[in-house]
Amino acid sequence: MTEPFHLSASQAQIKFNDGSLTVEEYAKSLLSRIEARDSAVHAWAHLDPELVLQQARQLDQIPSEKRGPLHGVAVGVKDVILTKDMPTQHNSPIYDGDAPKIDAASIAVLRANGALIFGKTTTTEFAATSVGPSHKGPKTANPHDPSRTPGGSSSGSGAAVGDFQVPIGLGTQTVGSTIRPGSFNGIYAMKPTWNSISREGQKLYSLIFDTLGLYARSIDDLKLLLDTFQLVDDEPEEKFEVKGGTFALLTLPTPDWPEPGPGTAAALKKGAELLRSHGAIVEEITLGDEFRPMYKYQMQVLTGDGRVAFLPDYYTAKDKLDSYLVGHVENHGKHTRKDQLKAFDELAAMRPKLDALVDKYAAIIAPSALDEAPVGLENTGNAAFCGPWTAMHMPVVNVPGFQGEDGLPIGLSVVSSRYRDQHLLRVSREVGKIFEAEGGWTRKL
Amino acid sequence: MTEPFHLSASQAQIKFNDGSLTVEEYAKSLLSRIEARDSAVHAWAHLDPELVLQQARQLDQIPSEKRGPLHGVAVGVKDVILTKDMPTQHNSPIYDGDAPKIDAASIAVLRANGALIFGKTTTTEFAATSVGPSHKGPKTANPHDPSRTPGGSSSGSGAAVGDFQVPIGLGTQTVGSTIRPGSFNGIYAMKPTWNSISREGQKLYSLIFDTLGLYARSIDDLKLLLDTFQLVDDEPEEKFEVKGGTFALLTLPTPDWPEPGPGTAAALKKGAELLRSHGAIVEEITLGDEFRPMYKYQMQVLTGDGRVAFLPDYYTAKDKLDSYLVGHVENHGKHTRKDQLKAFDELAAMRPKLDALVDKYAAIIAPSALDEAPVGLENTGNAAFCGPWTAMHMPVVNVPGFQGEDGLPIGLSVVSSRYRDQHLLRVSREVGKIFEAEGGWTRKL
């Protein structure tokens, strides 16, 4: 029998609508799943079952004609996003127990549309280090193999959605903090176009890169979210077909970046074969030399941004701040303003150029992570493959479906130009059908 | 006798240091000034004298060797910036009485360095309309003539600092919300380089334009703030001399912008004459055609940004949101993503070009506002002259010293390239000595 926690948010909503499931029953099922799995996965930084059930009952009492489009949709929230009824602790001892009574913009939108804000999920410190959440908090593990990292910095949301503890998760991405956990946990992960969803109330690292991230196990669920956040493309919504579509396969974003591991290399190869076997044209491309310094520039800008963003915490409690972040504030790298501006301006100049390149294709297919999730919880993995799309403000969807040499999930990034988020979702839907059916990895319950 | 409220923050600190004044005595003097003047000026959205005195007494108890660089510096805070011990209401009925227990990044930095967070000052709705704060809140008036606007959107901070109710004020600027009130109230106003001070916890309108603004009646006070916020230029600190310096006089930022009124035109003329009479070279320049669409592009980006920023409030209480902001969310202007991106990218491309142009000079001298403050409190005036520097991320200081045909103060904008904030302050110090002494307007007590 399918228990309610197995359902995607969209599937649960069908049952809420036909009266065969209440939000309270659904919430109880999710809580039971969490209870059964939490000692292995440790996805939650804060979870108050009583609050969840109380809000679920309130949602059940809303007459059906007054229910919002996200009625009863359970959302796990990365613990760098403010929630007025729960603490927000950033996995930093500076914020132990801190609970400001304010919702982030994203949470306000979700609540106003009927979502059930479920709890807070683990993060690396301020979503700004790649040291695992085990560094200062719960030892969040990959639900598919607890000896491995779920990735980060959105560790808890990725793991919770991958483990059926909640259908939807919010993450954030400044370099690769949403897409990498998407790949490691075998789920859909979306980083929308920069600033297409308000980042207000989400811990600041970089104004120009930070983006809210979305996790789900189905494209239908992501579509629910994009519509609620009013992401509208210029172009009308038309069905996309893989047959006759043209994709760019980008094995190495720039020649300066790391080689994909064997699992990712095989996934890229198989992904291209599958698309071709379904009638698509797949062209292998590389990015020109003009894009070569992209990652270097991103890191330069990020360092300057971190210098500003962490100054308050530095003044408040330098001794409780990760040394990497202290290094930002104290400018250990001795970055000049001139270099920082050059990097900022050059990245800006690349954006329309990369848009134009990508618009020749239905989408780019690219690696999401170096390989399947590595063993160990102390480090959340390498973000290098995700950085360019963050720096370029382009929307990305991690589509799951492949597996690595040890059987852990691997996804591929599907990328389009800025503000084509709905287009990207339509492409990802069709690509996902193929990858999930024929890619070789199957999500186990 | 000079009462303590007459003192700048730096002057008060000298007295704190030599023991001739306590922070409590100083706070009491400021409170008495406010009590005497509030019925005319209405600068405050929230002020709790008991809280102020309690914090002042706490500061007095800190042993001198443990006092921060901002010890006892009283700061009025625009009511779109979060303060953990006071409400933040954004002059919006949606936020009536709302008091989240969290400090904005700027407030955390100020507090950690010993500042006395005094109270919340009035704003236009969400700092995003030019309708006066009288629209939905107190009728903040210009302290130099209560029949006139103090400007906006940082109305209360500008008026309070101009009226000696507090030595330092925080504002924000998305187009011209800090610099314009600076000119209207006859005070120094600084909009630092974009993202050189964290904007976290400050109501979001535009990620790419919003900037924290600083008000003071002296350059020494601005210097205190810049140092605390760790604004460091690449170049070493060297004294600037007007004699032998080269300035650009920019009468009309682009040919598409409005003509300055007679007061501003006269101030520009007199400012140039004064600089020349002190041995500077002043070249009249205009910006080339490539910069012509700057303001149009800024408004396009702003509309797209407002569409995202006000979506939560729109969902929560559309009926309580100003129709202009509803228009952003509903995209009444039918702006396309393509136009929005073109505007965003073109502004980005202009930034290094304008930096290079400005770097040929010690600074640009430009108008801060159309003219002296207009009569009436319903509208806070035109921001067109301030927009370009906000869009270009360049630091600006409004230097007071001139007056209009009706005797109200008029300032001029001194502008430099990005991340030369300390350089700009040194230039403004010397320019300000001349303008304040010989410009024709004198601040009355």
Side-chain angles (χ1 to χ4, degrees):
Chain A
M1 187 202 116
T2 304
E3 292 194 61
F5 71 75
H6 295 153
L7 302 171
S8 70
S10 316
Q11 290 167 339
Q13 284 199 312
I14 293 170
K15 290 180 179 288
F16 300 150
N17 286 341
D18 70 17
S20 61
L21 183 70
T22 66
V23 179
E24 184 181 3
E25 288 162 355
Y26 178 56
K28 281 183 174 165
S29 178
L30 293 169
L31 288 168
S32 73
R33 173 69 176 175
I34 293 169
E35 201 181 343
R37 294 283 299 162
D38 194 50
S39 61
V41 180
H42 298 291
W44 300 89
H46 176 86
L47 182 70
D48 177 350
E50 272 315 304
L51 178 67
V52 169
L53 292 173
Q54 176 198 325
Q55 301 208 354
R57 284 189 289 267
Q58 282 174 6
L59 286 165
D60 281 327
Q61 274 158 31
I62 299 172
S64 55
E65 70 278 10
K66 290 194 173 169
R67 290 176 180 177
L70 297 183
H71 179 73
V73 168
V75 182
V77 178
K78 185 175 182 177
D79 200 26
V80 293
I81 300 170
L82 297 171
T83 43
K84 67 180 177 188
D85 50 2
M86 300 171 193
T88 301
Q89 302 176 95
H90 309 283
N91 194 20
S92 160
I94 303 173
Y95 292 86
D96 265 352
D98 198 45
K101 302 220 173 300
I102 187 170
D103 276 338
S106 53
I107 302 300
V109 166
L110 295 174
R111 270 198 224 273
N113 285 280
L116 174 62
I117 305 302
F118 215 80
K120 305 301 279 282
T121 58
T122 60
T123 176
T124 70
E125 185 176 343
F126 296 118
T129 77
S130 55
V131 184
S134 60
H135 179 52
K136 290 196 181 116
K139 298 187 190 304
T140 307
N142 194 302
H144 308 292
D145 177 350
S147 74
R148 294 173 191 255
T149 179
S153 62
S154 311
S155 315
S157 281
V161 173
D163 199 41
F164 293 86
Q165 298 183 18
V166 74
I168 304 276
L170 296 188
T172 64
Q173 178 154 315
T174 302
V175 185
S177 283
T178 291
I179 296 299
R180 183 164 89 263
S183 182
F184 286 178
N185 292 288
I187 56 179
Y188 287 94
M190 182 165 192
K191 183 201 82 66
T193 300
W194 175 81
N195 196 29
S196 62
I197 297 177
S198 174
R199 54 104 355 98
E200 191 162 29
Q202 166 184 327
K203 178 69 182 174
L204 176 65
Y205 186 3
S206 166
L207 280 187
I208 201 70
F209 300 138
D210 289 353
T211 308
L212 189 80
L214 311 171
Y215 289 116
R217 294 185 305 272
S218 82
I219 292 284
D220 282 344
D221 284 8
L222 290 180
K223 172 76 174 150
L224 257 181
L225 296 173
L226 287 206
D227 289 350
T228 303
F229 283 113
Q230 301 200 4
L231 270 75
V232 182
D233 297 356
D234 279 343
E235 65 202 87
E237 302 233 358
E238 282 171 8
K239 187 163 164 41
F240 172 79
E241 290 188 26
V242 169
K243 189 175 178 178
T246 306
F247 291 85
L249 181 72
L250 194 64
T251 306
L252 262 188
T254 90
D256 286 346
W257 285 335
E259 284 281 333
T264 293
L268 285 162
K269 186 161 175 282
K270 187 159 190 178
E273 286 168 5
L274 287 174
L275 292 174
R276 285 183 184 125
S277 76
H278 285 265
I281 297 156
V282 181
E283 293 178 13
E284 291 201 36
I285 64 163
T286 53
L287 296 183
D289 281 352
E290 60 188 330
F291 297 106
R292 189 183 280 248
M294 210 190 298
Y295 196 56
K296 183 185 80 176
Y297 286 156
Q298 189 186 19
M299 291 302 116
Q300 273 177 354
V301 171
L302 197 56
T303 303
D305 288 352
R307 190 172 167 183
V308 170
F310 296 109
L311 182 66
D313 302 308
Y314 177 88
Y315 273 131
T316 306
K318 175 186 169 182
D319 55 317
K320 294 181 180 170
L321 203 57
D322 188 88
S323 61
Y324 176 69
L325 304 179
V326 170
H328 280 348
V329 176
E330 295 180 348
N331 192 22
H332 289 179
K334 300 195 187 305
H335 298 278
T336 63
R337 302 299 194 183
K338 191 178 169 196
D339 285 348
Q340 184 185 339
L341 284 173
K342 179 177 159 67
F344 185 88
D345 293 337
E346 293 282 343
L347 287 175
M350 288 178 193
R351 286 185 195 116
K353 290 180 194 162
L354 199 53
D355 274 354
L357 190 153
V358 173
D359 279 342
K360 294 180 192 163
Y361 304 95
I364 284 183
I365 307 289
S368 287
L370 274 183
D371 211 307
E372 61 190 340
V375 171
L377 307 182
E378 292 307 313
N379 191 288
T380 60
N382 187 314
F385 285 135
C386 307
W389 321 124
T390 315
M392 293 296 101
H393 295 177
M394 295 162 84
V396 188
V397 171
N398 176 71
V399 175
F402 305 96
Q403 64 180 6
E405 293 184 334
D406 294 336
L408 274 287
I410 289 179
L412 294 179
S413 285
V414 183
V415 187
S416 74
S417 59
R418 292 173 292 173
Y419 287 115
R420 296 189 75 202
D421 299 79
Q422 292 278 6
H423 162 81
L424 176 64
L425 208 62
R426 291 195 298 279
V427 173
S428 300
R429 181 187 294 278
E430 301 307 318
V431 169
K433 283 178 191 167
I434 296 169
F435 287 2
E436 287 210 88
E438 302 173 52
W441 180 75
T442 308
R443 190 179 294 118
K444 289 154 203 84
L445 286 180
Chain B
M1 187 204 114
T2 303
E3 293 195 60
F5 71 75
H6 295 153
L7 302 170
S8 71
S10 315
Q11 290 167 338
Q13 284 199 312
I14 292 170
K15 291 181 177 287
F16 300 150
N17 286 340
D18 70 16
S20 61
L21 183 70
T22 66
V23 179
E24 184 180 3
E25 288 161 355
Y26 178 55
K28 280 183 175 165
S29 178
L30 293 170
L31 287 168
S32 72
R33 172 70 177 174
I34 293 170
E35 199 180 345
R37 295 282 299 162
D38 194 50
S39 61
V41 179
H42 298 291
W44 300 90
H46 177 87
L47 182 71
D48 178 350
E50 274 313 306
L51 178 68
V52 169
L53 292 173
Q54 177 199 322
Q55 300 205 356
R57 285 189 288 266
Q58 283 174 7
L59 287 165
D60 280 327
Q61 275 158 32
I62 299 172
S64 57
E65 71 278 10
K66 289 195 176 169
R67 291 177 180 176
L70 298 183
H71 178 73
V73 169
V75 182
V77 178
K78 184 175 183 177
D79 199 26
V80 294
I81 300 170
L82 296 171
T83 43
K84 67 181 177 188
D85 50 2
M86 301 171 192
T88 302
Q89 303 177 94
H90 309 283
N91 194 21
S92 160
I94 303 174
Y95 292 85
D96 265 353
D98 199 44
K101 301 221 172 306
I102 186 170
D103 276 338
S106 52
I107 302 300
V109 167
L110 294 174
R111 271 197 223 273
N113 286 280
L116 174 62
I117 305 302
F118 214 80
K120 305 302 279 282
T121 58
T122 61
T123 175
T124 69
E125 184 176 342
F126 296 117
T129 76
S130 55
V131 184
S134 59
H135 180 53
K136 290 194 183 118
K139 298 188 191 303
T140 307
N142 193 303
H144 307 292
D145 176 352
S147 73
R148 295 173 191 256
T149 179
S153 62
S154 311
S155 315
S157 281
V161 173
D163 199 42
F164 293 85
Q165 298 183 18
V166 76
I168 303 276
L170 296 188
T172 64
Q173 178 154 314
T174 302
V175 186
S177 283
T178 291
I179 296 300
R180 183 164 89 262
S183 182
F184 287 177
N185 292 289
I187 56 178
Y188 287 93
M190 182 166 191
K191 182 201 84 64
T193 299
W194 175 81
N195 198 29
S196 62
I197 297 177
S198 175
R199 52 109 349 103
E200 191 162 29
Q202 166 184 328
K203 178 69 182 174
L204 176 66
Y205 185 3
S206 166
L207 280 187
I208 202 70
F209 300 137
D210 290 353
T211 308
L212 189 79
L214 311 171
Y215 289 116
R217 293 185 306 272
S218 82
I219 292 284
D220 282 343
D221 283 10
L222 290 180
K223 173 74 175 153
L224 258 182
L225 295 173
L226 288 205
D227 288 350
T228 303
F229 284 113
Q230 301 200 3
L231 269 75
V232 182
D233 298 357
D234 279 342
E235 65 203 86
E237 303 232 357
E238 283 171 7
K239 187 163 164 43
F240 172 79
E241 290 187 25
V242 168
K243 188 175 179 178
T246 306
F247 292 86
L249 181 72
L250 194 64
T251 306
L252 263 187
T254 90
D256 286 347
W257 287 334
E259 284 280 336
T264 293
L268 286 162
K269 187 161 172 285
K270 186 160 191 179
E273 285 168 6
L274 288 173
L275 292 174
R276 285 184 184 124
S277 76
H278 284 264
I281 298 156
V282 181
E283 293 178 13
E284 290 201 38
I285 64 162
T286 53
L287 296 182
D289 281 350
E290 61 188 328
F291 297 107
R292 188 182 280 251
M294 210 190 297
Y295 196 57
K296 183 185 83 178
Y297 285 156
Q298 190 187 17
M299 290 302 117
Q300 273 177 353
V301 171
L302 197 55
T303 303
D305 288 352
R307 190 172 168 181
V308 170
F310 296 109
L311 183 65
D313 301 307
Y314 177 89
Y315 272 131
T316 305
K318 175 187 168 181
D319 56 317
K320 294 180 181 170
L321 202 58
D322 188 88
S323 60
Y324 175 70
L325 304 179
V326 170
H328 280 348
V329 176
E330 294 180 349
N331 192 22
H332 288 179
K334 298 195 188 306
H335 298 279
T336 63
R337 302 299 195 183
K338 192 180 167 193
D339 285 349
Q340 184 186 339
L341 284 174
K342 179 177 160 64
F344 184 88
D345 294 337
E346 293 281 341
L347 286 175
M350 288 178 194
R351 286 185 196 116
K353 289 180 195 162
L354 199 53
D355 275 353
L357 189 153
V358 173
D359 279 343
K360 294 179 193 163
Y361 304 94
I364 285 183
I365 307 290
S368 286
L370 274 183
D371 211 306
E372 60 190 343
V375 171
L377 306 182
E378 292 306 314
N379 191 288
T380 60
N382 187 314
F385 286 133
C386 306
W389 322 124
T390 316
M392 292 298 100
H393 294 176
M394 296 162 84
V396 188
V397 171
N398 176 72
V399 175
F402 306 96
Q403 64 181 4
E405 294 183 334
D406 294 335
L408 274 286
I410 289 180
L412 293 179
S413 285
V414 183
V415 187
S416 75
S417 60
R418 293 173 290 173
Y419 287 115
R420 297 189 75 201
D421 298 79
Q422 294 277 7
H423 161 81
L424 176 64
L425 208 62
R426 291 195 299 278
V427 173
S428 300
R429 180 187 295 277
E430 301 308 318
V431 169
K433 284 178 191 166
I434 297 169
F435 288 2
E436 288 209 87
E438 303 173 52
W441 180 76
T442 309
R443 190 179 295 117
K444 289 156 201 81
L445 283 180

